[in-house]
Amino acid sequence: MPEKTEKKVVLINGQEIELNGEKNILEVAKKANIDIPTFCYHSDLSVYGACRMCLVEIEGRGIFPSCSTPPQPGMSIRTNSPRILKARKMVVEFLLANHNRDCTTCERNLSCRLQEIASRMGVEEIRFRERSEVLPKDSSSFSLVRDPNRCILCGDCVRTCQEIEGIGVYDFAHRGSHSMVEPAFGKKLTEVECLYCGQCSIRCPTAALVVKSEVEKTWEVVLDPDKFVVAQIAPAVRVAVGEAFGLPPGEITTGKIVSALKKIGFDRVYDTAFSADLTTVEEAEEFFKRLQKGERLPQFTSCCPSWVLFAERNYPFYLNNLSSARSPQQMFGSVIKNYITKFEKVPVDRTVSVSIMPCTAKKFEAHRPEFVSQNEPDVDIVLTAQETIKLIKSANIDFGQIEPQPFDVPLGMGTGAGVIFGVTGGVTEAVLRYAYERLTGEELSEVEFNSVRGFQGLREAEVDFAGKKVRVAIVHGMANAQALIRDIREGKRDYHFVEVMNCPGGCIGGGGMPLGLPDYPEVLRKRAEGLYNADRLSPVRKSQDNPAIKFIYQNWLGEANSELAEKHLHTSYYSRRRISNELIRIQEAKSTHKVDIAVCVGTSCYLKGSYNILQRLLELVREHELEDQVNIGATFCLEKCSQGPNIRINDQVITGVDEKKVQEIFEKMVLAQV
Amino acid sequence: MENSKQEQTLVRKFEKVNRILEKHSYNQSDLIGILQEIQEEYRYLPEEILTYVATALGVSPAYVYGVATFYAQFSLKPKGKRIIRVCDGTACHVRGSQTVLKAVREYLGLKPDEDTTPDLLFTVETVACIGACALAPAMMIDDQVFGQMDQEKVEQTLESIIQEEKGEEANVFSQ
Ligand code: SF4
Ligand code: SF4
Ligand code: FES
Ligand code: FES
C-alpha cells in the first residue's frame, strides 16, 4: 500500500492546525492566533507549568496545562469549554485570595497581567478571605520595589534571574500557606547579588516587582520655576513609548516624546545618541591605544551599569580591561552639569538633569559617588520608559495627536551610530564604523556590519582593518556573559573587543521598558528593527561625522582622551566583593592578648584552595599549643579576589597565600606576636 | 582548659562541614542529605554555613535557603542540645505552667527575646498538651517527662541535667 505522507494536525476549537515541531499546545494555538491566557509561561524561559492559567481540555483525556503538554497528532483540543472557563476563573480567584487587592493605588494599575486576566475571566467576587498578614516591602534599592503581598508565586522572577542572569537572587522559600518567593534569608535586594537590571520585574505579572518611581520628583522640579530642567532621551526609549499609546512596538516616536516633555515643562531636551557618539569616539580611541600597545585586551564595553556592577563583584581581575569611558547617560550628565550650564549661564545648583532611560540599573548608576560635579550628581533623576509613559499620561497629553518637535541645539544631534547603541551589537557597530576610517584612513562606504547584528546570545566577528585583524564578540544576558568569560579565561576564546549588555536584546529589552506581553521576543525584534530603521533614516550615520561632536571637541574638550575628556567623560572601577562581617568561628582564643586570623572562603579563594590553608593554620596553632592565643575564623571575601587566596591577620590582609607560604607567614606574623 | 575543649568542638564542626561536603562529592542533588548532616552537627543551619555550602556546591544561596526553609525538620535558628518543652495545655495552664516557664527561663538566664542559651545547651519551647495532664504542670526535656513542677523542682531538674552534660563532655574529651 503506498504510504500517504500524512500531515500531522491537531484540532483546536474545531480548527485544523498543522504541527511543525511545536513543543507545546500553547505554541500551536499561538500560531493560529488563538489566545490562551498565561502567567508562568515565557517563551524565553524554561517551562514551569504551575500557575494552571493556560488550561485546555483535550477530548477524551481531560484538562491539561497547554504550556507544558506536547501536542500529539489527532488531538482535539478546546481552549474555551465551559469546564475550562470555570477552572480558569477558579485559578484566578485563588491567586487573588492571597493577593493585596488595592488596584487603584497600585503601581501596575492598568498594566497588570493579573488584573487584566481577572477582568477577562469576568471574576466578580472572590470567595476567599484576603490574607490579613502584611509583609514588609523592600525599597532598599534605587531601582526596584519588591512587595511580597502582591506576589502570586508564579516563579517567573526565579527563573528569569537564574536562567537569563545566571545569578538566582530569588527562590521559593518556606512551605504551605507561608510559601514565598524571596532572596536568601529574606534579605533585601541591596544585600544580595542583585544587579538592579529589572529583568525579573518586566516578567512579573503583578506589582510584586516594580520600578521605583521618580515621577513625582520629576513633577516637582518641572513645576519649580527656579529650576532649569534638562532632559536626555536614550535611543531605545523612542521605539517603545508608543506601545503604551496604541502604536506598534518599533514605531519611532522621538519627536513626540520631545514635544510631550516640552509641554510638561522641561527647559531643554537632548538626545542621548549624541553622548553615545561621544562614547564611541572616546572608547574607540582608548581601544586603539590598547591595540597598539597590545595591553588590557580584550577591551570590554562599559555602557551597561548592571554589567559593570557584575564585573566589579565577580571579575576584579578584569577591571583594567573595562573601557574607562563612562556610559552615554553619565557622559551626557557630565556635559549638562559642566558645559551646558556654562553656555546657558545657569548655576549648577539650579540645573536638574533628568535622563529618560530603558533601564532600571541606570538609577543605580546615577547614584554612583564618582558621578558628581561640584557636589551635585551629574544625573539627578532617571525616569524609565515606564515612568515616562506615566508622566505623559498624568499630564493628560494626547500622545497620538501631538506634533513632533526636534531636539534642542547645539548638542541635540545624534547619529545613526549613536541610535543603534540601544540594541545588542550596536556599540560594537558604532565603534567599527569609527575604527575602520581611523585605522585605514579610507572612507567607509558600507556602514552596516551585519555580522554583529542579530539576537544570538553570543556573536563573534573578525574584521579586517587594512591587514590588521580585529576579533570582536557581542554577548547579551548575564548568563551568556558568564559563560563567555569562562571561555576567555580558560583560553578557549580570544578577542580584542567584547561588548556586554545585561539585558537580552540590549537596551531595547531593558527592565524599565513597557511590559512586552504576551509575545516578548516579537516585541524585541520590532524594537530592534525600529532602531535600525532610525539609523537608516539618519542623515549622518558615523559618530565621527556628527557636527555636534565636532562642536564639543572644538569648543570644550579639545580632542578625544584629552585631559579634560579624561576628567569629565571617563571613570574608574573598584572591586565590590561584598564583605560579610559574619565570621564562621572556628577557633576562639580566650586570652586577652590574642591574634585574629581570618581565612577567606569566598568563592574565588575557596576555588584556589583556601580550605587547605585553613587546615594548615589550625595544625600550626595546635603544634605550637597556641589555642588560647589565636582566633581562627573563616570569612567571606576580603575583596582581593584576583590575588587570592587571601587571609587576614589582625588588620592586615595577606594575599597570594599558598600552602607552602603558610608556615613562613605563621612564623613571622603570628609567632612574633604572641 | 574548658575553653579549649569548646574550641576543639568548633574546629571539628567546620572540618565536619567540609567532610560532609566531600562525602557527598559536592553533589548538588544531595543537598537535603548534606543539610541534614550539618544540622546534626550544629543542631541548626547557620546562615554563614549555608552560604558556604552554596558556594561550595555552585548553587545560589537563595536556593539553599529555599530548601532549608521548606522542610520542617530544618531550623535556621540555633537550637540547644537539650530541648525543654513546657506544657501549656489547658490542664497545665490552669495549674501554673506560666510559673514553670518563668522558673525555667530565669534559671537558664534567658533574655526576653531568647529561646536558646548562648552555650547552645538548652532551647525552651512551649507546647500544647503533652498528654501528661494528670501530672500537671508538666514539662519535657527531650523525651523525658517531668511532672508536678514548681520552681524548686525546676531548679533541681535543670541542675542535675547540667551536671550530667558536664560529665558527658569530660568523657568525650578523655576518649
Ligand atoms: S533585578 Fe536582575 S539581578 Fe536583580 S533580581 Fe531581578 S533579574 Fe536578578
Ligand atoms: S514576584 Fe512576581 S514574578 Fe516573582 S513569583 Fe511573585 S508574582 Fe511571580
Ligand atoms: S502558563 Fe501554563 S501553567 Fe502557567
Ligand atoms: S573570594 Fe574575594 S578575596 Fe577571597
Side-chain angles (χ1 to χ4, degrees):
Chain A
M1 220 168 59
E3 220 171 289
K4 226 170 74 189
T5 42
E6 226 178 294
K7 276 201 301 184
K8 291 187 178 159
V9 294
V10 294
L11 280 178
I12 301 188
N13 300 341
Q15 182 184 343
E16 197 169 280
I17 302 162
E18 198 177 333
L19 295 181
N20 257 324
E22 288 84 3
K23 282 189 230 65
N24 52 58
I25 295 175
L26 187 65
E27 277 178 25
V28 184
K30 209 183 96 191
K31 195 169 65 175
N33 287 325
I34 298 171
D35 186 42
I36 301 176
T38 56
F39 281 127
C40 72
Y41 178 80
H42 291 269
S43 53
D44 53 353
L45 298 178
S46 64
V47 174
Y48 178 49
C51 76
R52 307 272 128 176
M53 201 55 231
C54 64
L55 295 175
V56 292
E57 189 166 358
I58 304 173
E59 208 179 274
R61 286 178 56 185
I63 291 188
F64 291 87
S66 61
C67 71
S68 48
T69 310
Q72 277 161 15
M75 270 182 177
S76 170
I77 300 156
R78 301 217 72 88
T79 66
N80 282 325
S81 70
R83 256 180 94 192
I84 288 294
L85 291 180
K86 215 171 135 203
R88 264 191 217 140
K89 206 163 154 179
M90 186 71 113
V91 167
V92 178
E93 260 189 79
F94 270 127
L95 293 175
L96 286 169
N98 265 328
H99 180 88
N100 173 323
R101 286 174 233 147
D102 296 337
C103 287
T104 47
T105 53
C106 176
E107 202 35 57
R108 284 261 167 107
N109 192 12
L110 300 183
S111 64
C112 168
R113 181 92 173 137
L114 178 60
Q115 190 186 39
E116 182 215 321
I117 289 181
S119 112
R120 260 165 65 187
M121 297 298 119
V123 176
E124 278 152 3
E125 60 161 347
I126 290 134
R127 285 163 290 176
F128 313 100
R129 262 222 339 251
E130 206 171 337
R131 183 168 56 191
S132 52
E133 187 191 1
V134 178
L135 300 162
K137 282 193 198 182
D138 170 12
S139 322
S140 61
S141 80
F142 294 118
S143 306
L144 298 165
V145 179
R146 203 184 130 251
D147 181 356
N149 304 296
R150 301 205 192 252
C151 174
I152 58 168
L153 304 179
C154 68
D156 291 355
C157 57
V158 175
R159 285 173 296 140
T160 300
C161 195
Q162 190 65 57
E163 295 169 17
I164 295 180
E165 294 300 299
I167 298 177
V169 161
Y170 315 101
D171 215 319
F172 288 88
H174 310 286
R175 64 191 335 229
S177 65
H178 298 288
S179 285
M180 271 179 87
V181 163
E182 61 176 357
F185 310 102
K187 289 191 176 178
K188 301 195 166 99
L189 287 178
T190 44
E191 299 164 344
V192 292
E193 299 296 305
C194 177
L195 304 176
Y196 316 123
C197 69
Q199 286 302 304
C200 51
S201 156
I202 39 165
R203 286 172 182 76
C204 176
T206 75
L209 287 166
V210 296
V211 175
K212 191 177 229 177
S213 175
E214 295 180 75
V215 174
E216 249 173 70
K217 210 163 130 193
T218 309
W219 273 122
E220 264 164 43
V221 295
V222 290
L223 295 178
D224 182 345
D226 240 23
K227 299 279 191 228
F228 183 71
V229 189
V230 185
Q232 54 166 312
I233 305 175
V237 175
R238 65 199 62 187
V239 290
V241 166
E243 290 166 30
F245 299 96
L247 300 170
E251 180 118 347
I252 306 163
T253 56
T254 326
K256 282 175 181 284
I257 306 174
V258 175
S259 184
L261 293 180
K262 284 284 174 71
K263 268 214 162 83
I264 285 166
F266 283 81
D267 296 289
R268 297 285 181 275
V269 181
Y270 286 113
D271 190 351
T272 311
F274 159 78
S275 52
D277 285 330
L278 205 50
T279 305
T280 308
V281 175
E282 291 292 326
E283 180 158 354
E285 287 297 333
E286 184 184 20
F287 180 53
F288 300 149
K289 283 194 207 135
R290 294 193 194 179
L291 213 49
Q292 268 160 13
K293 294 195 194 139
E295 62 179 29
R296 292 154 74 194
L297 295 169
Q299 174 167 314
F300 291 98
T301 58
S302 58
C303 324
C304 170
S306 291
W307 151 240
V308 169
L309 179 58
F310 190 82
E312 290 183 318
R313 286 202 188 133
N314 299 283
Y315 306 127
F317 38 83
Y318 272 151
L319 294 185
N320 277 330
N321 291 49
L322 247 61
S323 161
S324 68
R326 295 185 192 179
S327 71
Q329 160 172 289
Q330 293 308 142
M331 282 205 185
F332 217 129
S334 177
V335 168
I336 291 173
K337 292 291 169 92
N338 293 299
Y339 185 68
I340 292 184
T341 46
K342 280 207 194 96
F343 89 46
E344 296 275 3
K345 302 196 176 58
V346 228
V348 174
D349 57 10
R350 269 186 52 212
T351 311
V352 183
S353 120
V354 179
S355 52
I356 311 279
M357 292 284 140
C359 173
T360 47
K362 288 281 167 196
K363 290 178 185 274
F364 160 81
E365 182 183 55
H367 281 90
R368 290 182 64 122
E370 307 85 280
F371 299 139
V372 163
S373 302
Q374 298 156 54
N375 294 323
E376 298 281 333
D378 289 337
V379 174
D380 297 279
I381 295 176
V382 177
L383 288 182
T384 60
Q386 284 180 26
E387 294 160 270
T388 309
I389 290 165
K390 286 205 172 138
L391 183 77
I392 296 174
K393 285 192 172 166
S394 65
N396 298 312
I397 289 168
D398 183 349
F399 195 74
Q401 296 305 316
I402 198 169
E403 275 301 312
Q405 274 184 44
F407 286 110
D408 283 297
V409 285
L411 302 178
M413 165 93 183
T415 69
V419 168
I420 56 171
F421 260 59
V423 54
T424 169
V427 179
T428 307
E429 188 164 340
V431 168
L432 292 179
R433 289 181 191 177
Y434 181 89
Y436 183 88
E437 296 195 345
R438 187 61 169 67
L439 280 176
T440 62
E442 287 164 27
E443 197 190 317
L444 178 67
S445 47
E446 180 42 69
V447 296
E448 294 186 8
F449 287 81
N450 284 313
S451 55
V452 302
R453 296 188 178 187
F455 276 136
Q456 245 175 317
L458 168 67
R459 303 186 298 287
E460 310 170 277
E462 192 172 78
V463 194
D464 191 342
F465 287 156
K468 170 99 192 138
K469 291 213 185 336
V470 174
R471 279 186 310 281
V472 301
I474 293 123
V475 72
H476 54 143
M478 205 45 68
N480 293 332
Q482 291 181 53
L484 174 69
I485 289 176
R486 215 172 298 132
D487 281 0
I488 296 178
R489 295 207 71 208
E490 286 171 6
K492 290 186 194 148
R493 296 171 192 271
D494 181 27
Y495 309 100
H496 299 102
F497 186 90
V498 180
E499 174 192 310
V500 186
M501 294 292 161
N502 174 85
C503 297
C507 306
I508 49 165
M513 292 288 260
L515 311 176
L517 287 160
D519 192 354
Y520 190 52
E522 176 64 13
V523 169
L524 287 188
R525 216 181 44 72
K526 289 205 176 127
R527 287 178 187 163
E529 230 167 67
L531 287 185
Y532 286 127
N533 280 339
D535 169 36
R536 231 164 278 135
L537 296 171
S538 293
V540 185
R541 298 180 71 185
K542 290 175 260 176
S543 302
Q544 59 272 36
D545 297 345
N546 184 346
I549 292 290
K550 290 179 182 156
F551 176 92
I552 199 160
Y553 279 115
Q554 264 163 24
N555 291 291
W556 184 39
L557 296 166
E559 54 178 16
N561 294 3
S562 69
E563 213 173 289
L564 215 52
E566 289 290 338
K567 177 166 173 227
H568 293 300
L569 306 182
H570 289 254
T571 185
S572 55
Y573 309 99
Y574 48 94
S575 170
R576 289 178 182 254
R577 278 309 304 199
R578 257 162 231 282
I579 310 182
S580 142
N581 298 322
E582 283 143 314
L583 208 65
I584 305 175
R585 296 180 308 159
I586 293 174
Q587 165 168 302
E588 257 180 303
K590 287 288 137 74
S591 146
T592 43
H593 182 76
K594 58 195 173 193
V595 181
D596 281 315
I597 306 183
V599 178
C600 180
V601 292
T603 317
S604 162
C605 292
Y606 180 84
L607 294 174
K608 290 185 196 154
S610 62
Y611 175 59
N612 294 337
I613 294 168
L614 181 63
Q615 291 300 321
R616 186 72 196 113
L617 278 168
L618 288 167
E619 277 166 33
L620 285 166
V621 169
R622 251 173 271 170
E623 274 166 30
H624 291 86
E625 296 185 0
L626 286 173
E627 287 100 329
D628 261 359
Q629 293 173 62
V630 180
N631 271 332
I632 297 190
T635 177
F636 288 103
C637 203
L638 297 167
E639 298 206 330
K640 295 221 160 72
C641 307
S642 54
Q643 302 146 37
N646 304 318
I647 67 175
R648 191 180 58 214
I649 298 185
N650 293 335
D651 287 331
Q652 197 177 338
V653 175
I654 303 154
T655 56
V657 181
D658 59 33
E659 269 179 83
K660 281 178 226 118
K661 276 198 214 150
V662 172
Q663 174 105 23
E664 193 189 319
I665 293 170
F666 185 80
E667 278 162 15
K668 271 205 208 128
M669 306 206 41
V670 182
L671 287 185
Q673 289 193 45
V674 292
Chain B
M1 213 35 223
E2 190 156 306
N3 284 334
S4 75
K5 274 177 211 158
Q6 246 186 14
E7 285 150 19
Q8 286 181 25
T9 338
L10 282 163
V11 175
R12 264 191 241 147
K13 275 186 198 155
F14 191 74
E15 286 173 3
K16 274 260 175 72
V17 174
N18 283 291
R19 230 174 287 138
I20 292 167
L21 287 165
E22 262 156 42
K23 187 171 128 198
H24 292 269
S25 323
Y26 295 85
N27 193 344
Q28 293 174 13
S29 54
D30 277 1
L31 181 58
I32 296 176
I34 293 172
L35 295 184
Q36 261 163 354
E37 288 179 40
I38 291 174
Q39 171 141 316
E40 265 162 46
E41 197 46 41
Y42 283 80
R43 293 197 290 277
Y44 82 111
L45 299 174
E47 183 181 320
E48 314 84 72
I49 299 288
L50 291 188
T51 310
Y52 179 73
V53 167
T55 305
L57 296 184
V59 295
S60 75
Y63 174 72
V64 175
Y65 174 73
V67 172
T69 53
F70 184 80
Y71 295 96
Q73 49 169 318
F74 293 131
S75 165
L76 277 94
K77 282 210 200 107
K79 281 233 169 145
K81 185 173 171 206
R82 317 287 303 250
I83 311 283
I84 304 176
R85 296 189 175 88
V86 178
C87 180
D88 199 23
T90 319
C92 291
H93 190 84
V94 178
R95 299 236 198 124
S97 56
Q98 289 306 314
T99 327
V100 177
L101 182 63
K102 198 167 154 246
V104 172
R105 298 186 57 97
E106 260 169 25
Y107 188 81
L108 298 176
L110 289 173
K111 295 193 196 100
D113 55 344
E114 266 178 11
D115 294 319
T116 300
T117 55
D119 63 358
L120 294 186
L121 193 50
F122 292 105
T123 291
V124 182
E125 295 172 348
T126 54
V127 288
C129 196
I130 54 174
C133 306
L135 299 176
M139 68 179 204
M140 283 175 88
I141 299 182
D142 301 329
D143 299 331
Q144 208 183 337
V145 178
F146 297 84
Q148 294 175 333
M149 300 306 285
D150 55 26
Q151 183 171 346
E152 202 179 318
K153 270 179 106 179
V154 163
E155 284 169 8
Q156 282 167 4
T157 315
L158 291 180
E159 178 57 30
S160 68
I161 299 234
I162 290 170
Q163 288 310 325
E164 192 182 298
E165 282 296 326
K166 276 193 182 154
E168 205 171 281
E169 216 169 279
N171 269 337
V172 169
F173 287 105
S174 60
Q175 274 165 14

